[in-house]
Amino acid sequence: MDRIVVTGGATLQGEVRISGAKNAVLPILCATLLADSPVEVTNVPHLHDVLTTAKLLSGLGAGVEHDVESGRVTVDPRSVSSHVAPYELVRTMRASVLVLGPLLARHGAAEVSLPGGCAIGARPVDLHIKALEALGARITVEHGFIRASAERLRGGHVVFETISVGATENVLMAATLADGVTLIDNAAREPEIVDLAECLIAMGADIRGAGTSRIEVRGVERLHGASHAVIADRIETGTFLVAAAMTRGRVTAVGARPDTLGAVVERLRHAGASVEIDGDRITVDMQGRRPRAIDIVTAPHPGFPTDMQAQFMAMNCIAEGTGTIDETIFENRFMHVSELMRLGAVIDIDGPRASVRGVERLSGAPVMATDLRASASLILAGLVAEGETLIDRIYHLDRGYEHIERKLSGLGAQIRRVR
């Protein structure tokens, strides 16, 4: 099993190109099932989750051409012959549940194994099920499968009791081929929702309000092929910007989407970073200064993203002062705390709140990644720790970061992958 070794002490400098967004490309690939001709998706990152999704689509019978070098995936859904998403594929990736809505809308039936993914909380699928039932689907959950059927979905009114990105995406996709108008209230507003909607619109869907709390979808008879470029990954961008701040360096993220990073940029500025934005370029310059500890409360977009919580906690570990982090999205998302403490971090946990007192230095040690973003936080901590930090179970990392060690090496980090 691969591991990553980080030798701390380097100040990061230079430019890093941002990849396409993991959290956008997965639902977009699932959305190709809705079309009646091939769909081309570009700016696709080379990630384990993308490979898993391509395998899932192929298993359903779709024709999938994946050019890893150019970052292009072409899906021909005309040959889909199965509506069953099996456990052996779905168990490793929660986003697999996003084939439920497209299969149901396009083929009238879907059987999707209950999903897996990172162990960061319950994240139940009941919101997906209730939303699709509001469009007329008949759904049962038995023997570990979600089984859904409908002659043709009909427009309806979906009101989410809590905001859910995945459930918003599933019902949004399903509603594009429903008979009539669907209103989605308390919808997730994340940029990845907007990107999915833009892809669906390119395929012929009639969608209004994506990016707001109310989305209106007017169902159409068919969706056709299209080409769509995936949005830049705001979480990858934020991770590199935090790495610059922690190492007191100067890093420019190229090919970024600054308009998706308002809360992250604002917190970096509070930490003492100089942040400059020029088109698709974001530069963080610490001018050799130690960051200041900051307070964070995670919230649905446009609030502070839960996927950046672990990285900012790592920064607080070596910052000047004490900062608090309130995690309001996932109940299990402090599993990286014990690993950061192995490096010398001073962290107190009280329910959903972590209080982090910054220390002058961390010390390298063997640590274990517990989920995708925790993996990134341990790499960031290793960048500023004395000696070597050995990070185990990095298969989580490969689900969401494209060539992270290569990109960090390009900025001057001492990091390598070992077996």
Side-chain angles (χ1 to χ4, degrees):
M1 186 179 294
D2 285 3
R3 296 177 289 177
I4 280 183
V5 179
V6 185
T7 303
T11 299
L12 300 191
Q13 305 279 347
E15 295 186 351
V16 60
R17 179 156 291 279
I18 301 304
S19 300
K22 163 194 175 302
N23 290 336
V25 69
L26 302 182
I28 285 170
L29 288 174
C30 294
T32 63
L33 294 170
L34 293 161
D36 61 9
S37 54
V39 178
E40 179 188 67
V41 186
T42 60
N43 198 32
V44 176
H46 182 37
L47 303 173
H48 190 269
D49 278 8
V50 170
L51 299 178
T52 300
T53 304
K55 189 181 295 186
L56 175 58
L57 296 177
S58 296
L60 295 172
V64 180
E65 295 180 9
H66 187 183
D67 186 336
V68 173
E69 284 300 314
S70 66
R72 177 179 288 103
V73 176
T74 302
V75 180
D76 187 344
R78 291 174 295 184
S79 54
V80 168
S81 57
S82 170
H83 57 261
V84 179
Y87 173 71
E88 52 267 26
L89 288 178
V90 176
R91 67 184 177 87
T92 64
M93 186 184 67
R94 184 168 186 81
S96 302
V97 76
L98 295 178
V99 299
L100 180 63
L103 284 174
L104 184 60
R106 182 79 171 85
H107 299 281
E111 292 187 31
V112 180
S113 175
L114 291 170
C118 288
I120 56 174
R123 302 200 291 184
V125 296
D126 61 319
L127 294 175
H128 299 249
I129 293 171
K130 290 177 183 177
L132 293 171
E133 286 177 335
L135 303 189
R138 297 180 296 276
I139 301 179
T140 60
V141 179
E142 55 188 3
H143 307 299
F145 272 83
I146 306 167
R147 292 187 166 91
S149 62
E151 284 72 36
R152 183 184 180 186
L153 295 174
R154 60 177 184 271
H157 189 190
V158 176
V159 182
F160 286 115
E161 55 195 61
T162 57
I163 295 173
S164 167
V165 174
T168 299
E169 290 168 340
N170 233 336
V171 74
L172 171 62
M173 290 186 283
T176 60
L177 292 180
D179 181 15
V181 178
T182 298
L183 291 178
I184 308 170
D185 277 320
N186 202 26
R189 300 165 59 186
E190 271 69 8
E192 294 79 16
I193 300 282
V194 178
D195 203 36
L196 172 62
E198 289 178 353
C199 178
L200 291 168
I201 290 168
M203 293 162 60
D206 186 347
I207 301 170
R208 302 165 197 179
T212 74
S213 59
R214 166 170 277 203
I215 302 176
E216 179 182 317
V217 186
R218 295 181 179 273
V220 296
E221 289 295 326
R222 57 178 288 268
L223 294 181
H224 51 69
S227 181
H228 179 79
V230 176
I231 193 174
D233 196 315
R234 61 194 173 105
I235 306 303
E236 184 196 32
T237 306
T239 301
F240 284 113
L241 297 181
V242 170
M246 288 180 67
T247 62
R248 310 188 189 192
R250 187 180 194 277
V251 170
T252 299
V254 180
R257 279 286 299 267
D259 58 314
T260 67
L261 284 157
V264 169
V265 167
E266 183 260 345
R267 291 286 85 192
L268 283 167
R269 285 176 170 151
H270 273 262
S274 168
V275 185
E276 298 177 6
I277 296 173
D278 181 14
D280 70 350
R281 300 166 64 90
I282 308 175
T283 301
V284 161
D285 189 354
M286 289 303 292
Q287 300 170 348
R289 298 187 300 266
R290 181 185 179 188
R292 295 191 297 266
I294 55 173
D295 297 334
I296 289 168
V297 179
T298 64
H301 192 78
F304 188 90
T306 182
D307 278 356
M308 284 300 304
Q309 176 257 105
Q311 298 91 312
F312 272 79
M313 181 182 286
M315 184 176 72
N316 270 357
C317 288
I318 51 88
E320 183 179 344
T322 298
T324 59
I325 297 177
D326 291 287
E327 175 55 65
T328 71
I329 308 297
F330 293 124
E331 69 274 17
N332 264 358
R333 209 158 199 181
F334 282 155
M335 291 191 295
H336 47 279
V337 167
S338 59
E339 301 303 301
L340 289 171
M341 291 175 71
R342 285 178 52 80
L343 302 177
V346 180
I347 306 171
D348 291 320
I349 300 293
D350 183 11
R353 169 170 286 188
S355 180
V356 186
R357 177 167 63 83
V359 296
E360 288 283 345
R361 60 183 60 84
L362 299 174
S363 299
V367 291
M368 182 176 67
T370 53
D371 63 68
L372 170 55
R373 305 308 171 185
S375 306
S377 75
L378 295 175
I379 287 179
L380 297 185
L383 291 173
V384 296
E386 291 182 342
E388 284 192 349
T389 299
L390 178 66
I391 305 163
D392 209 344
R393 293 179 65 181
I394 61 162
Y395 56 84
H396 293 292
L397 193 73
D398 295 331
R399 292 183 49 238
Y401 288 94
E402 182 178 45
H403 307 310
I404 190 169
E405 68 270 25
R406 185 188 308 173
K407 291 184 177 184
L408 285 170
S409 293
L411 298 173
Q414 297 182 61
I415 179 172
R416 68 187 191 278
R417 184 177 292 239
V418 298
R419 289 192 178 274

